[in-house]
């Protein structure tokens, strides 16, 4: 008698693939890349990977699907299902068609070149169902595999993702969720024995890397670019969307998104135009709130093209992202972004620009004058979300004073000038107490300033940070051109970029004329002045009628410590995990995931990488220093530090493209 084989837990997932029922599906299943007209999805076949195995799983993310992480890890079929090597029962693999503006230029058809929609898993009824339905009123989670092979939208690529980039996406998706920032989720990370060549730094020196797949989870992965498939010929590039003129499909897609993901708007508005205006306003609100959240944790997305903007206001597509170490408004995390279009300080304006492109795509469903009126609300919405977040980060909870904006602006100016670490500086501020009777003001301020000075950059670090990125000869030529031929200068140079380069030169000259001692005196003076200003503002909090100082201090500390993370996914933390994994050791990926799941808390036993011994001494890493198991893996003997410390000096050399 044959023994009954135990069912895989993944085979129990309840699929209800509404997107493929409600939206046009490309009838062709021919292989190879092609233009897909009149459709929102194309059917695909995930390509099997040899010897798939788990690198890590996120238990909280899998819970959304009603799955137990340990049960999944122990299932011999799970890695095959989660790599696309085996097709899940009930799933309908497909790729989504979308367009996008990339670095300000319309790129035409893009689409899921490496991601594969599997289907939509119905929410599992439990005690949290009501809360989940508020977060996700569709009652289902779209799941997709990123890196599972070719689709009609792969263009010249191979539809594969590698271990390096997959680790970054997996960890950052879950880190952002734990920080309380709207995001797509990552449930599993699988690697394999298939290798592809990748030229990581675009320098003509490719290396072999393992193909890997991330399971991504969201209510939907529909994005601004999903509506750009209807775009008429672009006046600058001459490109057009593959479904230009198909206003019938535009209406169909818009109806689907509103009815499925914004049901309250659908119920409230019987008149179509008013419904569409309300929908666009909600997207504007969510986008403004999202970018305010990013700014307040020092997160830089890196590639804020319209095809990377979620229609639900989620953080979408983790590529060359970065959390700032030293605060710099001009921080650019993507080494390919030569003009700084997607710098940290540019993100709010870029998101507004992207919303304007979405509005254009919704015409005639959304009349242009109505869209412009809604877009005019964006700046004030963003400012209110940003300032509310900053008040919580500073522990200003009981009053809203006109000088608060200036207090924040001055804090950031000093952080920039002193090269202060963004994450740790805010964490230090909870150690600045409210004024109280019997306190010696000078001692309290001096103690606070000493903490803040520990987070500041050295003279050599500031010199390196302010070195112009433009070649001096090129800069001199451009400046000469600005004087001799302004019209030609406008064509070949970007005025903002040149201005930033000149500012760096001026700051570098100033630094070259000082020494470390003089710099420290200046940094101390700046921070002393600001701490006095901050303490004066805290005194106003204490003066609120009925305030009990101890109760207020406890509340302030609780809010600040839940608003200012101890740990974020700095690039060097991700790099350590990547290098260990490329050497065959996945434990650091798993350890970092645990740390990032509770970013606001101290976690005894998880303060530092697992290869660090007592007192921070580095233990030799098996499989990396002693002989890598991964061809092309990067061996390292860098000293490692606790996760919540300032980054090591080598972190500034990391280049993400």
């Amino acid at each position: 008698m044959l023994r009954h084989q135990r069912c895989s837990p993944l085979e129990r997932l309840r699929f209800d693939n509404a997107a493929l029922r409600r939206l046009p599906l490309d009838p062709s299943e021919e292989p190879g890349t092609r233009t897909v007209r009149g459709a929102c999805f194309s059917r695909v076949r995930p390509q099997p990977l040899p010897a798939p195995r788990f690198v890590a799983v996120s238990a909280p993310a899998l819970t959304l699907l009603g799955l137990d992480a340990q049960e999944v890890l122990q299932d011999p079929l799970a890695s095959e299902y989660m790599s696309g090597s085996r097709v899940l029962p009930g799933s309908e693999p497909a790729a989504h068609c979308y367009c996008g503006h990339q670095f300000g230029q319309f790129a035409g058809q893009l689409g899921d070149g490496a991601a594969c929609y599997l289907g939509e898993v119905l929410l599992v009824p439990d005690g949290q169902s009501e809360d989940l339905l508020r977060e996700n009123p569709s009652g289902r989670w779209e799941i997709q595999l990123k890196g599972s092979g070719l689709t009609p939208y792969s263009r010249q690529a191979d539809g594969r993702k590698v271990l390096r980039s997959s680790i970054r996406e997996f960890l950052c998706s879950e880190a952002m969720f734990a920080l309380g920032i709207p995001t797509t989720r990552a449930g599993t990370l699988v690697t394999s024995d298939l290798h592809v060549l990748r030229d990581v730094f675009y320098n003509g020196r490719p290396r072999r890397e393992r193909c890997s797949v991330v399971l991504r989870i969201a209510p939907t992965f529909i994005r601004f670019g999903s509506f750009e498939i209807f775009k008429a010929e672009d006046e600058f590039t001459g490109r057009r969307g593959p479904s230009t003129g198909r206003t019938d499909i535009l209406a169909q897609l818009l109806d689907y998104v509103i009815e499925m993901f914004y049901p309250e708007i659908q119920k409230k508005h019987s008149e179509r135009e008013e419904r569409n205006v309300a929908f666009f306003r909600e997207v504007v609100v969510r986008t403004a709130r999202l970018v305010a959240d990013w700014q307040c944790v020092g997160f830089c997305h890196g590639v804020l093209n319209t095809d990377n903007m979620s229609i639900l206001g989620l953080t979408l597509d983790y590529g060359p992202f970065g959390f700032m170490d030293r605060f710099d408004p001009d921080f650019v995390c993507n080494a390919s972004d030569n003009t700084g279009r997607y710098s940290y300080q540019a993100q709010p304006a870029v998101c507004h620009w992207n919303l304007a492109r979405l509005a254009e795509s919704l015409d005639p469903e959304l009349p242009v004058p109505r869209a412009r009126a809604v877009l005019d609300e964006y700046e004030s919405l963003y400012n209110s979300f940003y300032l509310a977040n900053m008040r919580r980060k500073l522990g200003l909870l009981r009053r809203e004073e006109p000088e608060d904006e200036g207090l924040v602006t001055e804090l950031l100016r000093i952080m920039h000038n002193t090269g202060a670490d963004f994450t740790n500086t805010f964490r230090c501020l909870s150690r600045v107490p409210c004024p109280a009777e019997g306190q010696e003001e000078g001692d309290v301020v001096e103690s606070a300033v000493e903490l803040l000075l520990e987070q500041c950059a050295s003279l050599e670090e500031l010199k390196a940070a302010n070195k112009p990125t433009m070649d001096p000869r090129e800069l001199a030529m451009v400046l000469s051109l600005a004087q001799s031929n302004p019209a030609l200068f406008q064509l070949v140079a970007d005025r903002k970029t040149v201005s930033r380069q000149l500012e760096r030169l001026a700051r570098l000259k100033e630094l070259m004329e000082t020494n470390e001692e003089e710099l420290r005196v200046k940094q101390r003076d700046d921070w002393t002045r600001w701490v006095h200003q901050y303490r004066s503002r805290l005194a106003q909090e204490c003066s609120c009628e009925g305030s009990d100082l101890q109760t207020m201090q406890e509340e302030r500390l609780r809010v600040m410590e839940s608003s200012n993370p101890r740990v974020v996914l700095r690039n060097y933390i991700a790099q350590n995990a990547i290098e260990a994994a490329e050497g065959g050791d996945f434990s650091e990926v798993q350890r970092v995931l645990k740390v990032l799941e509770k970013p606001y808390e101290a976690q005894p036993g998880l303060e530092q990488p697992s290869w660090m011994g007592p007192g921070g001494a580095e233990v030799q890493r098996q499989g990396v220093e002693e002989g890598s198991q991964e061809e092309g893996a990067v061996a390292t003997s860098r000293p490692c530090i606790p996760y919540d410390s300032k980054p090591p000096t080598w972190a500034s050399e990391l280049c993400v493209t």
Side-chain angles (χ1 to χ4, degrees), residues 114-133:
C116 173
Y117 162 103
L118 291 182
E120 297 152 57
V121 177
L122 293 172
L123 287 178
V124 180
D126 60 17
Q128 296 182 323
S129 292
E130 191 172 329
D131 292 337
L132 284 176
L133 281 170

Side-chain angles (χ1 to χ4, degrees), residues 387-614:
L387 194 53
N389 284 354
M390 279 295 182
R391 284 194 175 104
R392 290 177 61 82
K393 290 175 76 68
L394 294 177
L396 307 177
L397 311 177
R398 303 195 173 193
R399 301 172 63 139
E400 295 183 5
E401 297 294 337
E403 69 260 32
D404 291 349
E405 189 171 353
L407 183 69
V408 171
T409 300
E410 182 64 6
L411 169 62
L412 296 178
R413 187 190 70 79
I414 293 173
M415 287 173 66
H416 184 209
N417 285 347
T418 62
D421 184 85
F422 184 87
T423 299
N424 290 357
T425 297
F426 275 104
R427 192 76 183 182
C428 286
L429 295 181
S430 62
R431 307 272 292 276
V432 181
C434 291
E437 289 185 19
Q439 282 182 345
E440 288 290 337
E441 178 71 8
D443 292 344
V444 171
V445 171
E446 185 177 349
S447 176
V449 168
E450 287 300 323
L451 282 173
L452 293 165
L453 286 173
E454 290 176 10
Q455 302 306 323
C456 295
S458 68
L459 179 60
E460 290 308 309
E461 287 171 332
L462 286 173
K463 285 179 181 177
N466 285 279
K467 185 178 179 182
T469 55
M470 187 181 288
D471 184 276
R473 290 168 297 182
E474 182 186 358
L475 182 58
M477 183 191 71
V478 167
L479 291 174
S480 174
L481 196 61
Q483 293 181 326
S484 62
N485 194 334
L488 184 58
F489 169 80
Q490 294 284 354
L491 293 174
V492 301
D494 176 70
R495 189 173 294 276
K496 285 184 179 179
T497 301
V498 173
S499 177
R500 282 198 296 268
Q501 297 298 313
L502 292 174
E503 287 171 8
R504 281 173 174 257
L505 270 176
R507 176 65 170 146
L508 181 60
K509 183 175 183 296
E510 180 185 323
L511 291 167
M512 295 295 288
E513 295 171 352
T514 192
N515 58 44
E516 191 75 49
E517 185 178 346
E518 291 170 339
L519 177 69
R520 280 296 171 184
V521 170
K522 177 67 167 62
Q523 290 176 339
R524 183 181 296 277
D525 289 345
D526 282 348
W527 279 115
T528 299
R529 186 175 61 256
W530 187 84
V531 171
H532 277 298
Q533 186 181 355
Y534 181 41
R535 293 257 296 167
S536 175
R537 175 64 181 83
L538 289 175
Q540 296 180 49
E541 292 283 296
C542 301
S543 67
C544 291
E545 188 176 345
S547 291
D548 173 74
L549 184 59
Q550 183 175 347
T551 301
M552 199 201 80
Q553 277 278 49
E554 289 173 355
E555 180 190 12
R556 173 174 168 262
L557 187 63
R558 177 183 58 79
V559 171
M560 290 183 74
E561 291 194 344
S562 63
S563 303
N564 296 308
R566 296 176 70 94
V567 179
V568 294
L569 184 61
R570 299 176 189 259
N571 272 340
Y572 84 89
I573 294 176
Q575 187 64 21
N576 280 334
I578 288 166
E579 290 181 3
E582 288 180 333
D585 177 5
F586 303 148
S587 64
E588 184 61 13
V589 176
Q590 297 159 9
R591 187 180 185 86
V592 170
L593 178 63
K594 284 183 182 178
V595 172
L596 295 173
E597 285 175 349
K598 297 179 180 178
Y600 299 101
E601 300 178 20
Q603 299 183 63
L606 291 175
E607 301 94 342
Q608 56 195 25
S610 57
W611 61 84
M612 284 180 64

Side-chain angles (χ1 to χ4, degrees), residues 28-34 152:
S28 172
E29 295 188 32
E30 67 180 87
T33 58
R34 62 183 183 276

